[in-house]
Amino acid sequence: MVLADTLSRAYLQHTPRDCERIEVFQVKHNLAKECEQIDMLQDVQVSQVRLADIRNATKTDTAMQQLKQTILQGWPDNKHTLPGSIAEFFNVRDELVIQDDIILRGNRVVVPRSYRPDMLQRIHTSHIGVNGCLRRARESLYWPGITAEVKNHVSRCHICRTYETRQTKEKLQTHEIPDRPWAKVGVDLFTFQGREYLLTMDYYSNYWETDRLLTTTSEEVVKKLKTHYARYGIPDILISDNGPQFSSSYFRIFMRKWDITHKTSSPGYPQSNGKVENNIKTAKNLMKKAYRANADPWLAILDFRNTPTQGMTTSPVQRLMSRRTRTLLTTATSLLKPKVTQEFEALRQSKERQKKYYDRTARDLPELKEHQTVRI
């Protein structure tokens, strides 16, 4: 009500503290009115057996006894004058009542500390998830910090962890930006229209090559890589997943002879080799659209290599070869002539921007400890 009316301002001459002791009392103008009795326990969604257990636990709990005395005697104005065991109830003091030796907050039973572990087990009996457990608990039970304790209890449940839909997304850890083109190269295989291809990508320039593979053996992959290394030079680092083509003894011998450091990522976590995966998606889209339009896919790839990258002034082929390559689109002669370009700062800002947006919905997971259970 915005404004109080006359009747709401009319106060009683006698305001009894304990309605259980007074059945009838006199109000203004000698009008007799009965004191209404409300049985709060009728609306509580807790069984009589559980209420009896909570009542017994309340009687033996020191903090609950102090809380009962404070409710009956009245709350102080300052929270800091309360004992530490009941100070956490100060913010809900106006909602707390006592009936049949049980403390209630509205229609929710205040559970003593000694009985809370048992109630947590009962709340989570059906393993219905964090939100479901919270909805169940908030209907009939209360204690300070109940939300945090329910979440913690569910997070430590082995059954719930075993059948989780997916792992929580961690914050992005970006690859280190190389200081020159073709210093760090990533490779991966992909399938398009029933045919196998190898994609080789430069981490500095984002320039990539695709090769048709007649077989998916290590010998065939090494043969294609040698042609690129002869054309662009031998890289310092090669990044691949742990596929059979890259984990064979033949491939290890090739890496050792050509003095290349081979780093692998997990096949079950392609995100760690995400730059290659994104370029595979781009290559597939270009080839798919070209075949659908009855166009030459190699011209589409050529145009992509000469298109300036978003947020930069140079294209992938410029960052690799220091010049544009001629396409069917008219190109300025100055762009076709070699000119050294430096885009290290632009690459760094692009990675920071990517990490910033990715980390909005991610968080760091706790480090694994020795002998800890890990589900895969």
Side-chain angles (χ1 to χ4, degrees):
M1 296 176 63
V2 180
L3 295 176
D5 57 17
T6 305
L7 292 178
S8 65
R9 294 178 179 273
Y11 58 90
L12 300 177
Q13 290 183 343
H14 302 284
T15 305
R17 276 188 88 77
D18 191 354
C19 291
E20 295 179 356
R21 302 177 184 174
I22 301 177
E23 295 183 356
V24 179
F25 56 90
Q26 296 295 323
V27 294
K28 198 171 184 179
H29 306 300
N30 295 322
L31 294 177
K33 289 188 176 288
E34 294 184 356
C35 179
E36 185 178 0
Q37 299 290 325
I38 301 176
D39 188 1
M40 296 294 295
L41 295 179
Q42 289 182 350
D43 298 327
V44 173
Q45 300 181 18
V46 180
S47 66
Q48 294 299 320
V49 176
R50 208 66 57 220
L51 285 175
D53 294 339
I54 293 174
R55 183 181 295 107
N56 294 332
T58 301
K59 292 179 180 179
T60 58
D61 190 288
T62 305
M64 292 294 101
Q65 294 303 312
Q66 290 179 337
L67 181 61
K68 288 176 62 177
Q69 292 296 325
T70 305
I71 294 172
L72 293 174
Q73 296 175 3
W75 289 85
D77 295 331
N78 193 344
K79 175 181 178 180
H80 300 290
T81 60
L82 291 170
S85 58
I86 64 172
E88 54 191 0
F89 292 93
F90 185 79
N91 292 334
V92 295
R93 61 192 184 278
D94 295 331
E95 305 175 46
L96 298 177
V97 296
I98 303 170
Q99 185 168 349
D100 293 342
D101 292 326
I102 294 178
I103 303 176
L104 302 169
R105 180 193 174 187
N107 59 348
R108 299 163 62 184
V109 178
V110 178
V111 182
R113 186 175 299 275
S114 61
Y115 201 63
R116 293 172 190 174
D118 183 73
M119 297 308 297
L120 284 173
Q121 292 288 348
R122 297 180 182 278
I123 291 170
H124 191 53
T125 301
S126 301
H127 304 279
I128 56 177
V130 175
N131 293 327
C133 290
L134 287 174
R135 287 194 296 269
R136 288 190 64 197
R138 289 168 179 167
E139 284 184 347
S140 56
L141 304 175
Y142 171 78
W143 66 81
I146 184 173
T147 300
E149 289 191 29
V150 170
K151 289 182 178 179
N152 183 52
H153 181 80
V154 175
S155 67
R156 291 185 287 107
C157 175
H158 295 292
I159 297 177
C160 292
R161 297 289 74 75
T162 301
Y163 293 98
E164 274 187 321
T165 53
R166 65 174 183 172
Q167 176 78 312
T168 303
K169 186 169 69 173
E170 290 192 272
K171 291 184 178 180
L172 183 65
Q173 297 184 15
T174 59
H175 283 270
E176 183 180 354
I177 303 174
D179 56 357
R180 59 182 174 83
W182 210 255
K184 181 191 290 187
V185 173
V187 294
D188 199 5
L189 276 67
F190 69 94
T191 304
F192 178 73
Q193 292 185 348
R195 300 174 179 177
E196 298 292 335
Y197 290 85
L198 173 72
L199 185 136
T200 308
M201 179 215 65
D202 174 32
Y203 269 84
Y204 179 85
S205 62
N206 201 36
Y207 178 95
W208 45 266
E209 295 271 9
T210 56
D211 296 283
R212 168 78 192 284
L213 297 177
L214 299 179
T215 63
T216 57
T217 61
S218 297
E219 291 82 356
E220 183 74 7
V221 171
V222 168
K223 185 189 301 183
K224 300 299 182 182
L225 290 178
K226 284 181 178 179
T227 62
H228 297 311
Y229 296 166
R231 186 179 303 116
Y232 305 115
I234 301 175
D236 298 328
I237 300 173
L238 177 74
I239 298 177
S240 71
D241 60 20
N242 237 340
Q245 299 83 7
F246 308 110
S247 59
S248 65
S249 59
Y250 185 88
F251 196 84
R252 286 197 297 270
I253 293 172
F254 167 65
M255 291 287 100
R256 186 165 58 251
K257 282 185 177 180
W258 285 60
D259 192 23
I260 302 173
T261 301
H262 185 203
K263 295 185 177 181
T264 60
S265 61
S266 171
Y269 190 69
Q271 203 170 10
S272 57
N273 203 16
K275 198 172 183 67
V276 177
E277 298 292 338
N278 286 335
N279 281 311
I280 286 177
K281 188 187 302 182
T282 302
K284 282 185 174 182
N285 284 334
L286 289 175
M287 296 165 68
K288 189 187 304 180
K289 293 175 182 177
Y291 284 120
R292 184 67 180 269
N294 294 322
D296 192 338
W298 294 108
L299 283 177
I301 294 174
L302 177 63
D303 289 339
F304 175 81
R305 292 169 177 169
N306 283 274
T307 303
T309 306
Q310 184 178 2
M312 302 181 189
T313 59
T314 57
S315 65
V317 72
Q318 276 182 287
R319 294 191 290 275
L320 179 67
M321 303 180 182
S322 299
R323 67 180 180 89
R324 293 276 184 92
T325 51
R326 185 170 175 266
T327 65
L328 296 182
L329 186 68
T330 304
T331 307
T333 307
S334 58
L335 293 175
L336 298 176
K337 295 179 178 179
K339 181 182 179 181
V340 178
T341 59
Q342 295 291 338
E343 291 283 10
F344 184 85
E345 184 62 25
L347 288 170
R348 186 188 64 80
Q349 292 178 0
S350 176
K351 280 188 173 293
E352 288 184 353
R353 185 165 54 251
Q354 179 187 10
K355 178 176 172 59
K356 174 184 175 182
Y357 289 115
Y358 185 91
D359 289 350
R360 286 181 175 179
T361 57
R363 64 181 179 87
D364 289 329
L365 295 176
E367 293 185 3
L368 296 177
K369 299 178 181 178
E370 191 173 355
H371 304 301
Q372 184 175 349
T373 302
V374 178
R375 297 174 177 84
I376 299 176

